[in-house]
Amino acid sequence: MMARTKRSRRSYGAGEWGRNRVRIFPDPKTGNFQIEWRENGRRRARSLGHRDWVRAKKQADEFAAGFVGPDLNGKQEAEPEPLKLGELFDIYGEEVTPTKGWKSRRYDRTATRMFLRFFGRNRDPATLSQRDWDRFIRERRAGRIGPSGKPVSDRMVEYDLKFLIAVLNWAARSRDDRGRLLLDRNPLKGLRKPTEKNPNRVVLTEEEYRALLGVSGRVDWRFRVALVLAHETGHRIGAIRQLRWSDISFEGGIILWRAEHDKSGHEHVTPVTAEALEVLEEAWRRNPGPGEAPVMPAPKSPSKCMGSALAQGWWVRAERLAGLEPKPGRGWHSLRRKFASDLMDQPLKVLCELGGWKTAKTVLQCYQKADEGQLRKALEARRRSCG
């Protein structure tokens, strides 16, 4: 048997050509040494799982001499089985989902169960194709799959498929403990997702807001504070209900919106109106506390902020007390759309800063909606300009 070291590429060969020739070399991606040999005329290779040069040469010599098999421990190593879809979702759920907010974590778990029931836990994710994509869209639209068992809009289907794409993209960038990609590529990359042609984005009217404000005191003082802050600041109810007194400056008339409570992770400070300061002062009289005390505490846990389910329940009760007919899409977020539409005559940069939007595109596409009065006002301004 002969052995030879190639100094330029730091590779090592052992055995004889045509008989028991093996070679070791470093993997350029992981740095671990690879061993390469021929079996039944086919080239085979595997990772040694380490970067010890002396140990790697010894393993090559033992392999060439026939002392050990391809696993280098006297046992034949089987080819690794393809990662199953169930295993992939389990890994994603353990490593990625916990880093998200509680609503996203809950959705991830629901969507995971739905996709695994539809495709099967034992499905090889690399075999997913256009036919699977189209079949999911048809069945999800019809309500034959999903937690509700009811037909859903294209917007919901798009949201589900974005999650599936995110999981597959993550797998195509992540490696196992041997340096191998969990998935060679995303098999569904580039496929077209359905989009809602006319999404139902309700804007709360001024009359509806006044009606809700009129009954807010009969619901709960916290509901009144949240309602006014949502109307005056244009922020999401999730950020409003998690405000703490350390975020409020009565002297400066400003509010700090923390990144951890913002959907887009955007920490910013905004001035507030006299109406907002008035309800905050009312809240202080009802619930004074140290800096980290919540502005609107949970009724049964004063040290915690009130929950989203409570805020939603109060909204439904207020609608009923105000005599408003239930309307799909009219909720806390309709106040955010009202804020964006009320300030349509302001520069977009100013509006984005006030409402906490990162990009003007989102405001234009999803939040602003001109009413008839604004359209007529624009036409009248044009007439005067031309005159």
Side-chain angles (χ1 to χ4, degrees):
M1 183 175 68
M2 62 179 181
R4 180 167 58 92
T5 302
K6 295 181 180 179
R7 295 181 180 177
S8 60
R9 296 179 58 191
R10 196 169 176 78
S11 65
Y12 177 80
E16 297 180 2
W17 293 104
R19 293 185 56 194
N20 60 343
R21 183 67 175 176
V22 298
R23 185 173 72 94
I24 59 169
F25 56 93
D27 185 337
K29 293 182 179 180
T30 66
N32 292 335
F33 285 106
Q34 298 268 331
I35 185 166
E36 182 183 85
W37 74 97
R38 286 190 173 274
E39 184 175 316
N40 297 325
R42 295 179 59 188
R43 180 177 296 175
R44 304 288 299 276
R46 61 154 298 204
S47 173
L48 296 179
H50 63 82
R51 303 180 184 183
D52 189 332
W53 174 245
V54 176
R55 178 184 170 193
K57 290 199 298 181
K58 181 180 178 182
Q59 288 176 307
D61 290 336
E62 291 175 345
F63 184 87
F67 295 146
V68 294
D71 68 331
L72 306 182
N73 290 304
K75 297 180 181 179
Q76 186 76 17
E77 180 186 50
E79 286 291 324
E81 294 185 2
L83 185 70
K84 300 293 191 297
L85 193 64
E87 297 171 339
L88 173 56
F89 273 103
D90 289 344
I91 297 172
Y92 186 90
E94 292 173 359
E95 299 183 10
V96 182
T97 297
T99 65
K100 303 181 181 180
W102 73 269
K103 282 188 177 180
S104 296
R105 294 197 301 269
R106 184 177 63 182
Y107 170 76
D108 282 10
R109 292 191 290 268
T110 302
T112 293
R113 290 192 294 269
M114 175 181 65
F115 281 117
L116 292 183
R117 281 197 299 267
F118 186 73
F119 294 124
R121 287 191 63 88
N122 294 325
R123 179 71 180 270
D124 181 355
T127 65
L128 294 174
S129 66
Q130 176 84 58
R131 295 180 64 192
D132 298 301
W133 181 270
D134 294 340
R135 185 165 60 94
F136 175 82
I137 293 174
R138 290 194 304 269
E139 298 298 299
R140 186 72 168 113
R141 277 173 175 164
R144 288 188 284 269
I145 57 174
S148 67
K150 300 178 181 179
V152 299
S153 65
D154 280 348
R155 187 181 181 187
M156 188 70 241
V157 178
E158 179 188 16
Y159 193 68
D160 294 334
L161 291 174
K162 282 183 177 179
F163 171 68
L164 177 61
I165 290 296
V167 174
L168 296 176
N169 282 338
W170 177 82
R173 298 190 302 266
S174 304
R175 298 180 181 274
D176 61 15
D177 53 0
R178 293 189 177 183
R180 298 174 299 195
L181 288 170
L182 297 179
L183 198 62
D184 290 337
R185 62 180 184 87
N186 179 353
L188 303 179
K189 185 176 182 180
L191 297 186
R192 185 176 181 180
K193 295 182 286 292
T195 56
E196 193 76 17
K197 293 181 180 179
N198 297 298
N200 184 30
R201 296 183 176 123
V202 177
V203 178
L204 194 74
T205 66
E206 184 65 24
E207 293 74 18
E208 290 172 333
Y209 171 66
R210 292 299 168 186
L212 292 172
L213 187 63
V215 300
S216 60
R218 296 163 57 188
V219 178
D220 191 275
W221 69 266
R222 283 159 286 220
F223 174 75
R224 178 177 175 81
V225 173
L227 182 68
V228 173
L229 289 179
H231 182 266
E232 298 298 316
T233 69
H235 280 69
R236 297 179 179 87
I237 184 59
I240 291 170
R241 64 181 180 79
Q242 295 186 86
L243 285 172
R244 297 184 180 273
W245 287 120
S246 59
D247 303 325
I248 311 298
S249 172
F250 288 104
E251 296 78 9
I254 58 174
I255 294 179
L256 166 67
W257 304 95
R258 305 189 190 190
E260 60 265 31
H261 302 150
D262 185 81
K263 181 180 178 181
S264 57
H266 175 44
E267 183 166 297
H268 55 288
V269 176
T270 63
V272 291
T273 62
E275 291 82 0
L277 284 176
E278 182 180 344
V279 294
L280 286 170
E281 289 170 353
E282 178 186 345
W284 175 259
R285 289 192 295 270
R286 289 179 175 271
N287 177 49
E292 288 305 305
V295 174
M296 291 161 282
K300 296 182 179 180
S301 301
S303 63
K304 296 181 180 179
C305 297
M306 72 179 193
S308 61
L310 186 62
Q312 183 58 34
W314 280 340
W315 180 278
V316 174
R317 183 183 173 195
E319 280 188 327
R320 187 169 59 249
L321 290 173
L324 299 179
E325 289 293 329
K327 181 190 296 185
R330 183 179 61 201
W332 288 102
H333 217 63
S334 64
L335 276 166
R336 186 161 165 82
R337 299 189 192 98
K338 183 179 186 301
F339 183 84
S341 299
D342 288 347
L343 297 178
M344 194 176 293
D345 58 341
Q346 296 298 314
L348 275 173
K349 180 65 175 177
V350 173
L351 177 57
C352 289
E353 289 293 332
L354 286 174
W357 286 281
K358 273 191 171 182
T359 62
K361 180 181 178 181
T362 303
V363 177
L364 292 170
Q365 288 184 340
C366 306
Y367 288 93
Q368 285 188 333
K369 183 178 180 181
D371 58 24
E372 182 179 348
Q374 289 170 318
L375 297 177
R376 291 187 179 277
K377 182 179 178 181
L379 290 175
E380 181 63 22
R382 177 178 181 270
R383 187 186 66 80
R384 290 197 302 268
S385 176
C386 292

mmCIF file of all heavy atoms in Angstrom, residues 190-227:
data_model
loop_
_atom_site.group_PDB
_atom_site.id
_atom_site.type_symbol
_atom_site.label_atom_id
_atom_site.label_comp_id
_atom_site.label_asym_id
_atom_site.label_seq_id
_atom_site.Cartn_x
_atom_site.Cartn_y
_atom_site.Cartn_z
ATOM 1 N N GLY A 190 -41.276 30.820 -6.286
ATOM 2 C CA GLY A 190 -41.684 31.484 -7.519
ATOM 3 C C GLY A 190 -43.117 31.239 -7.940
ATOM 4 O O GLY A 190 -43.597 31.891 -8.882
ATOM 5 N N LEU A 191 -43.836 30.323 -7.264
ATOM 6 C CA LEU A 191 -45.222 30.066 -7.644
ATOM 7 C C LEU A 191 -46.102 31.239 -7.219
ATOM 8 O O LEU A 191 -45.886 31.865 -6.183
ATOM 9 C CB LEU A 191 -45.717 28.766 -7.013
ATOM 10 C CG LEU A 191 -44.993 27.486 -7.458
ATOM 11 C CD1 LEU A 191 -45.680 26.264 -6.883
ATOM 12 C CD2 LEU A 191 -44.941 27.396 -8.976
ATOM 13 N N ARG A 192 -47.112 31.499 -8.002
ATOM 14 C CA ARG A 192 -47.942 32.685 -7.790
ATOM 15 C C ARG A 192 -49.006 32.426 -6.726
ATOM 16 O O ARG A 192 -49.750 31.446 -6.812
ATOM 17 C CB ARG A 192 -48.608 33.089 -9.104
ATOM 18 C CG ARG A 192 -49.386 34.374 -9.036
ATOM 19 C CD ARG A 192 -49.919 34.745 -10.412
ATOM 20 N NE ARG A 192 -50.665 36.002 -10.369
ATOM 21 C CZ ARG A 192 -51.240 36.545 -11.432
ATOM 22 N NH1 ARG A 192 -51.115 35.961 -12.617
ATOM 23 N NH2 ARG A 192 -51.905 37.673 -11.320
ATOM 24 N N LYS A 193 -49.066 33.323 -5.746
ATOM 25 C CA LYS A 193 -50.066 33.212 -4.682
ATOM 26 C C LYS A 193 -51.321 33.978 -5.081
ATOM 27 O O LYS A 193 -51.241 35.020 -5.745
ATOM 28 C CB LYS A 193 -49.521 33.776 -3.373
ATOM 29 C CG LYS A 193 -48.351 32.999 -2.813
ATOM 30 C CD LYS A 193 -47.877 33.559 -1.482
ATOM 31 C CE LYS A 193 -47.119 34.870 -1.672
ATOM 32 N NZ LYS A 193 -45.832 34.683 -2.360
ATOM 33 N N PRO A 194 -52.500 33.495 -4.683
ATOM 34 C CA PRO A 194 -53.727 34.249 -4.972
ATOM 35 C C PRO A 194 -53.767 35.529 -4.158
ATOM 36 O O PRO A 194 -53.250 35.589 -3.042
ATOM 37 C CB PRO A 194 -54.841 33.283 -4.541
ATOM 38 C CG PRO A 194 -54.209 32.404 -3.514
ATOM 39 C CD PRO A 194 -52.770 32.249 -3.927
ATOM 40 N N THR A 195 -54.362 36.550 -4.706
ATOM 41 C CA THR A 195 -54.487 37.824 -4.005
ATOM 42 C C THR A 195 -55.939 38.262 -4.016
ATOM 43 O O THR A 195 -56.681 37.999 -4.975
ATOM 44 C CB THR A 195 -53.615 38.912 -4.660
ATOM 45 O OG1 THR A 195 -53.977 39.035 -6.051
ATOM 46 C CG2 THR A 195 -52.144 38.571 -4.565
ATOM 47 N N GLU A 196 -56.342 38.918 -2.959
ATOM 48 C CA GLU A 196 -57.717 39.419 -2.841
ATOM 49 C C GLU A 196 -57.882 40.628 -3.741
ATOM 50 O O GLU A 196 -57.177 41.633 -3.588
ATOM 51 C CB GLU A 196 -57.994 39.785 -1.386
ATOM 52 C CG GLU A 196 -59.446 40.026 -1.087
ATOM 53 C CD GLU A 196 -60.245 38.745 -0.996
ATOM 54 O OE1 GLU A 196 -59.639 37.668 -0.838
ATOM 55 O OE2 GLU A 196 -61.478 38.827 -1.079
ATOM 56 N N LYS A 197 -58.835 40.552 -4.689
ATOM 57 C CA LYS A 197 -59.024 41.652 -5.628
ATOM 58 C C LYS A 197 -59.663 42.862 -4.949
ATOM 59 O O LYS A 197 -59.281 44.004 -5.206
ATOM 60 C CB LYS A 197 -59.890 41.181 -6.798
ATOM 61 C CG LYS A 197 -59.212 40.129 -7.669
ATOM 62 C CD LYS A 197 -60.094 39.721 -8.832
ATOM 63 C CE LYS A 197 -59.394 38.669 -9.699
ATOM 64 N NZ LYS A 197 -60.259 38.239 -10.830
ATOM 65 N N ASN A 198 -60.644 42.623 -4.113
ATOM 66 C CA ASN A 198 -61.326 43.713 -3.416
ATOM 67 C C ASN A 198 -61.392 43.402 -1.921
ATOM 68 O O ASN A 198 -62.448 43.008 -1.411
ATOM 69 C CB ASN A 198 -62.738 43.909 -3.977
ATOM 70 C CG ASN A 198 -62.713 44.321 -5.436
ATOM 71 O OD1 ASN A 198 -62.190 45.361 -5.791
ATOM 72 N ND2 ASN A 198 -63.293 43.476 -6.290
ATOM 73 N N PRO A 199 -60.269 43.533 -1.209
ATOM 74 C CA PRO A 199 -60.268 43.213 0.218
ATOM 75 C C PRO A 199 -61.198 44.122 1.003
ATOM 76 O O PRO A 199 -61.360 45.302 0.674
ATOM 77 C CB PRO A 199 -58.805 43.426 0.627
ATOM 78 C CG PRO A 199 -58.249 44.350 -0.395
ATOM 79 C CD PRO A 199 -58.959 44.037 -1.670
ATOM 80 N N ASN A 200 -61.836 43.551 2.030
ATOM 81 C CA ASN A 200 -62.795 44.295 2.844
ATOM 82 C C ASN A 200 -62.058 45.041 3.943
ATOM 83 O O ASN A 200 -61.798 44.501 5.017
ATOM 84 C CB ASN A 200 -63.828 43.322 3.441
ATOM 85 C CG ASN A 200 -64.909 44.055 4.214
ATOM 86 O OD1 ASN A 200 -65.239 45.196 3.893
ATOM 87 N ND2 ASN A 200 -65.454 43.413 5.218
ATOM 88 N N ARG A 201 -61.694 46.283 3.671
ATOM 89 C CA ARG A 201 -60.962 47.105 4.639
ATOM 90 C C ARG A 201 -61.887 48.233 5.108
ATOM 91 O O ARG A 201 -61.956 49.293 4.488
ATOM 92 C CB ARG A 201 -59.674 47.654 4.021
ATOM 93 C CG ARG A 201 -58.681 46.541 3.644
ATOM 94 C CD ARG A 201 -57.391 47.120 3.114
ATOM 95 N NE ARG A 201 -56.425 46.069 2.844
ATOM 96 C CZ ARG A 201 -55.840 45.865 1.657
ATOM 97 N NH1 ARG A 201 -56.130 46.660 0.635
ATOM 98 N NH2 ARG A 201 -54.971 44.894 1.491
ATOM 99 N N VAL A 202 -62.590 47.959 6.189
ATOM 100 C CA VAL A 202 -63.595 48.888 6.688
ATOM 101 C C VAL A 202 -62.927 50.066 7.389
ATOM 102 O O VAL A 202 -61.994 49.883 8.172
ATOM 103 C CB VAL A 202 -64.554 48.163 7.654
ATOM 104 C CG1 VAL A 202 -65.562 49.137 8.245
ATOM 105 C CG2 VAL A 202 -65.264 47.033 6.920
ATOM 106 N N VAL A 203 -63.429 51.269 7.094
ATOM 107 C CA VAL A 203 -62.983 52.479 7.777
ATOM 108 C C VAL A 203 -64.114 52.933 8.697
ATOM 109 O O VAL A 203 -65.246 53.158 8.238
ATOM 110 C CB VAL A 203 -62.639 53.596 6.773
ATOM 111 C CG1 VAL A 203 -62.212 54.858 7.512
ATOM 112 C CG2 VAL A 203 -61.552 53.131 5.817
ATOM 113 N N LEU A 204 -63.837 53.058 9.984
ATOM 114 C CA LEU A 204 -64.860 53.510 10.923
ATOM 115 C C LEU A 204 -65.248 54.945 10.597
ATOM 116 O O LEU A 204 -64.380 55.810 10.402
ATOM 117 C CB LEU A 204 -64.317 53.428 12.353
ATOM 118 C CG LEU A 204 -65.359 53.547 13.469
ATOM 119 C CD1 LEU A 204 -66.177 52.266 13.559
ATOM 120 C CD2 LEU A 204 -64.694 53.834 14.809
ATOM 121 N N THR A 205 -66.541 55.206 10.541
ATOM 122 C CA THR A 205 -67.001 56.565 10.248
ATOM 123 C C THR A 205 -66.974 57.416 11.514
ATOM 124 O O THR A 205 -66.927 56.895 12.628
ATOM 125 C CB THR A 205 -68.425 56.547 9.680
ATOM 126 O OG1 THR A 205 -69.330 56.094 10.701
ATOM 127 C CG2 THR A 205 -68.523 55.623 8.475
ATOM 128 N N GLU A 206 -67.024 58.720 11.323
ATOM 129 C CA GLU A 206 -67.056 59.635 12.468
ATOM 130 C C GLU A 206 -68.313 59.405 13.311
ATOM 131 O O GLU A 206 -68.263 59.446 14.551
ATOM 132 C CB GLU A 206 -67.001 61.081 11.979
ATOM 133 C CG GLU A 206 -66.919 62.129 13.082
ATOM 134 C CD GLU A 206 -65.639 62.056 13.900
ATOM 135 O OE1 GLU A 206 -64.629 61.526 13.379
ATOM 136 O OE2 GLU A 206 -65.641 62.534 15.053
ATOM 137 N N GLU A 207 -69.449 59.138 12.646
ATOM 138 C CA GLU A 207 -70.692 58.900 13.374
ATOM 139 C C GLU A 207 -70.588 57.626 14.216
ATOM 140 O O GLU A 207 -71.069 57.584 15.369
ATOM 141 C CB GLU A 207 -71.864 58.782 12.396
ATOM 142 C CG GLU A 207 -72.215 60.073 11.653
ATOM 143 C CD GLU A 207 -71.201 60.419 10.567
ATOM 144 O OE1 GLU A 207 -70.427 59.518 10.161
ATOM 145 O OE2 GLU A 207 -71.166 61.595 10.149
ATOM 146 N N GLU A 208 -69.981 56.582 13.663
ATOM 147 C CA GLU A 208 -69.823 55.332 14.415
ATOM 148 C C GLU A 208 -68.894 55.530 15.612
ATOM 149 O O GLU A 208 -69.141 54.998 16.702
ATOM 150 C CB GLU A 208 -69.288 54.240 13.489
ATOM 151 C CG GLU A 208 -70.290 53.771 12.452
ATOM 152 C CD GLU A 208 -69.680 52.840 11.417
ATOM 153 O OE1 GLU A 208 -68.450 52.950 11.175
ATOM 154 O OE2 GLU A 208 -70.418 52.022 10.836
ATOM 155 N N TYR A 209 -67.828 56.311 15.400
ATOM 156 C CA TYR A 209 -66.912 56.564 16.515
ATOM 157 C C TYR A 209 -67.616 57.319 17.635
ATOM 158 O O TYR A 209 -67.460 56.977 18.820
ATOM 159 C CB TYR A 209 -65.701 57.355 16.027
ATOM 160 C CG TYR A 209 -64.819 57.840 17.164
ATOM 161 C CD1 TYR A 209 -64.118 56.945 17.970
ATOM 162 C CD2 TYR A 209 -64.727 59.209 17.451
ATOM 163 C CE1 TYR A 209 -63.330 57.392 19.022
ATOM 164 C CE2 TYR A 209 -63.928 59.660 18.498
ATOM 165 C CZ TYR A 209 -63.245 58.746 19.285
ATOM 166 O OH TYR A 209 -62.472 59.186 20.329
ATOM 167 N N ARG A 210 -68.397 58.329 17.283
ATOM 168 C CA ARG A 210 -69.103 59.104 18.301
ATOM 169 C C ARG A 210 -70.111 58.241 19.049
ATOM 170 O O ARG A 210 -70.321 58.399 20.258
ATOM 171 C CB ARG A 210 -69.820 60.295 17.649
ATOM 172 C CG ARG A 210 -68.877 61.349 17.087
ATOM 173 C CD ARG A 210 -68.013 61.946 18.173
ATOM 174 N NE ARG A 210 -66.905 62.743 17.628
ATOM 175 C CZ ARG A 210 -65.960 63.267 18.361
ATOM 176 N NH1 ARG A 210 -65.965 63.075 19.673
ATOM 177 N NH2 ARG A 210 -64.968 63.951 17.809
ATOM 178 N N ALA A 211 -70.742 57.324 18.336
ATOM 179 C CA ALA A 211 -71.697 56.422 18.983
ATOM 180 C C ALA A 211 -70.993 55.502 19.976
ATOM 181 O O ALA A 211 -71.484 55.271 21.091
ATOM 182 C CB ALA A 211 -72.437 55.603 17.927
ATOM 183 N N LEU A 212 -69.844 54.963 19.588
ATOM 184 C CA LEU A 212 -69.079 54.103 20.495
ATOM 185 C C LEU A 212 -68.557 54.890 21.683
ATOM 186 O O LEU A 212 -68.565 54.404 22.825
ATOM 187 C CB LEU A 212 -67.913 53.451 19.735
ATOM 188 C CG LEU A 212 -68.276 52.430 18.667
ATOM 189 C CD1 LEU A 212 -67.030 52.022 17.872
ATOM 190 C CD2 LEU A 212 -68.897 51.182 19.303
ATOM 191 N N LEU A 213 -68.084 56.117 21.420
ATOM 192 C CA LEU A 213 -67.564 56.953 22.500
ATOM 193 C C LEU A 213 -68.660 57.275 23.514
ATOM 194 O O LEU A 213 -68.415 57.338 24.726
ATOM 195 C CB LEU A 213 -66.974 58.237 21.919
ATOM 196 C CG LEU A 213 -66.242 59.162 22.896
ATOM 197 C CD1 LEU A 213 -65.025 58.470 23.494
ATOM 198 C CD2 LEU A 213 -65.826 60.456 22.187
ATOM 199 N N GLY A 214 -69.890 57.448 23.027
ATOM 200 C CA GLY A 214 -70.990 57.785 23.911
ATOM 201 C C GLY A 214 -71.339 56.694 24.904
ATOM 202 O O GLY A 214 -71.847 56.989 25.996
ATOM 203 N N VAL A 215 -71.081 55.441 24.541
ATOM 204 C CA VAL A 215 -71.412 54.330 25.451
ATOM 205 C C VAL A 215 -70.166 53.750 26.115
ATOM 206 O O VAL A 215 -70.276 52.790 26.879
ATOM 207 C CB VAL A 215 -72.162 53.216 24.688
ATOM 208 C CG1 VAL A 215 -73.448 53.745 24.082
ATOM 209 C CG2 VAL A 215 -71.271 52.587 23.607
ATOM 210 N N SER A 216 -68.982 54.298 25.810
ATOM 211 C CA SER A 216 -67.733 53.695 26.291
ATOM 212 C C SER A 216 -67.669 53.630 27.811
ATOM 213 O O SER A 216 -67.139 52.675 28.389
ATOM 214 C CB SER A 216 -66.527 54.463 25.742
ATOM 215 O OG SER A 216 -66.563 55.821 26.153
ATOM 216 N N GLY A 217 -68.206 54.655 28.491
ATOM 217 C CA GLY A 217 -68.172 54.651 29.945
ATOM 218 C C GLY A 217 -69.014 53.552 30.555
ATOM 219 O O GLY A 217 -68.739 53.097 31.676
ATOM 220 N N ARG A 218 -70.036 53.092 29.837
ATOM 221 C CA ARG A 218 -70.877 52.003 30.336
ATOM 222 C C ARG A 218 -70.213 50.650 30.158
ATOM 223 O O ARG A 218 -70.641 49.658 30.757
ATOM 224 C CB ARG A 218 -72.230 52.029 29.609
ATOM 225 C CG ARG A 218 -73.043 53.283 29.887
ATOM 226 C CD ARG A 218 -74.152 53.466 28.873
ATOM 227 N NE ARG A 218 -75.054 52.302 28.832
ATOM 228 C CZ ARG A 218 -76.017 52.141 27.928
ATOM 229 N NH1 ARG A 218 -76.185 53.067 26.969
ATOM 230 N NH2 ARG A 218 -76.789 51.077 27.953
ATOM 231 N N VAL A 219 -69.215 50.591 29.326
ATOM 232 C CA VAL A 219 -68.493 49.326 29.105
ATOM 233 C C VAL A 219 -67.414 49.152 30.174
ATOM 234 O O VAL A 219 -67.451 48.217 30.976
ATOM 235 C CB VAL A 219 -67.868 49.290 27.695
ATOM 236 C CG1 VAL A 219 -67.075 47.995 27.496
ATOM 237 C CG2 VAL A 219 -68.952 49.410 26.630
ATOM 238 N N ASP A 220 -66.432 50.047 30.197
ATOM 239 C CA ASP A 220 -65.359 50.006 31.194
ATOM 240 C C ASP A 220 -64.474 51.227 30.965
ATOM 241 O O ASP A 220 -64.304 51.674 29.822
ATOM 242 C CB ASP A 220 -64.527 48.728 31.054
ATOM 243 C CG ASP A 220 -63.574 48.517 32.214
ATOM 244 O OD1 ASP A 220 -62.457 49.079 32.172
ATOM 245 O OD2 ASP A 220 -63.948 47.807 33.169
ATOM 246 N N TRP A 221 -63.908 51.768 32.036
ATOM 247 C CA TRP A 221 -63.053 52.944 31.875
ATOM 248 C C TRP A 221 -61.850 52.648 31.014
ATOM 249 O O TRP A 221 -61.360 53.519 30.277
ATOM 250 C CB TRP A 221 -62.630 53.491 33.237
ATOM 251 C CG TRP A 221 -61.663 52.620 34.017
ATOM 252 C CD1 TRP A 221 -61.981 51.684 34.951
ATOM 253 C CD2 TRP A 221 -60.233 52.632 33.927
ATOM 254 N NE1 TRP A 221 -60.854 51.088 35.461
ATOM 255 C CE2 TRP A 221 -59.751 51.664 34.842
ATOM 256 C CE3 TRP A 221 -59.313 53.353 33.179
ATOM 257 C CZ2 TRP A 221 -58.393 51.400 35.028
ATOM 258 C CZ3 TRP A 221 -57.966 53.098 33.355
ATOM 259 C CH2 TRP A 221 -57.506 52.131 34.267
ATOM 260 N N ARG A 222 -61.343 51.407 31.065
ATOM 261 C CA ARG A 222 -60.195 51.036 30.231
ATOM 262 C C ARG A 222 -60.571 51.028 28.755
ATOM 263 O O ARG A 222 -59.758 51.388 27.888
ATOM 264 C CB ARG A 222 -59.665 49.663 30.660
ATOM 265 C CG ARG A 222 -58.835 49.691 31.923
ATOM 266 C CD ARG A 222 -58.759 48.341 32.566
ATOM 267 N NE ARG A 222 -60.042 48.023 33.201
ATOM 268 C CZ ARG A 222 -60.165 47.424 34.371
ATOM 269 N NH1 ARG A 222 -59.104 47.042 35.034
ATOM 270 N NH2 ARG A 222 -61.359 47.179 34.890
ATOM 271 N N PHE A 223 -61.804 50.582 28.459
ATOM 272 C CA PHE A 223 -62.254 50.605 27.070
ATOM 273 C C PHE A 223 -62.300 52.038 26.544
ATOM 274 O O PHE A 223 -61.900 52.305 25.408
ATOM 275 C CB PHE A 223 -63.637 49.961 26.943
ATOM 276 C CG PHE A 223 -64.226 50.080 25.566
ATOM 277 C CD1 PHE A 223 -63.753 49.292 24.519
ATOM 278 C CD2 PHE A 223 -65.231 50.999 25.293
ATOM 279 C CE1 PHE A 223 -64.282 49.417 23.233
ATOM 280 C CE2 PHE A 223 -65.764 51.121 24.017
ATOM 281 C CZ PHE A 223 -65.284 50.330 22.986
ATOM 282 N N ARG A 224 -62.774 52.965 27.365
ATOM 283 C CA ARG A 224 -62.837 54.366 26.939
ATOM 284 C C ARG A 224 -61.438 54.913 26.657
ATOM 285 O O ARG A 224 -61.206 55.577 25.643
ATOM 286 C CB ARG A 224 -63.519 55.214 28.008
ATOM 287 C CG ARG A 224 -63.592 56.694 27.660
ATOM 288 C CD ARG A 224 -64.337 57.492 28.725
ATOM 289 N NE ARG A 224 -64.294 58.923 28.436
ATOM 290 C CZ ARG A 224 -65.091 59.540 27.575
ATOM 291 N NH1 ARG A 224 -65.998 58.833 26.914
ATOM 292 N NH2 ARG A 224 -64.998 60.837 27.355
ATOM 293 N N VAL A 225 -60.485 54.609 27.527
ATOM 294 C CA VAL A 225 -59.112 55.077 27.322
ATOM 295 C C VAL A 225 -58.546 54.497 26.025
ATOM 296 O O VAL A 225 -57.956 55.214 25.205
ATOM 297 C CB VAL A 225 -58.231 54.685 28.526
ATOM 298 C CG1 VAL A 225 -56.762 55.012 28.244
ATOM 299 C CG2 VAL A 225 -58.701 55.395 29.785
ATOM 300 N N ALA A 226 -58.721 53.193 25.830
ATOM 301 C CA ALA A 226 -58.196 52.537 24.625
ATOM 302 C C ALA A 226 -58.848 53.079 23.364
ATOM 303 O O ALA A 226 -58.183 53.299 22.343
ATOM 304 C CB ALA A 226 -58.405 51.029 24.722
ATOM 305 N N LEU A 227 -60.168 53.323 23.419
ATOM 306 C CA LEU A 227 -60.892 53.822 22.249
ATOM 307 C C LEU A 227 -60.376 55.206 21.838
ATOM 308 O O LEU A 227 -60.099 55.452 20.654
ATOM 309 C CB LEU A 227 -62.391 53.889 22.563
ATOM 310 C CG LEU A 227 -63.300 54.357 21.431
ATOM 311 C CD1 LEU A 227 -63.337 53.321 20.320
ATOM 312 C CD2 LEU A 227 -64.713 54.625 21.947
#
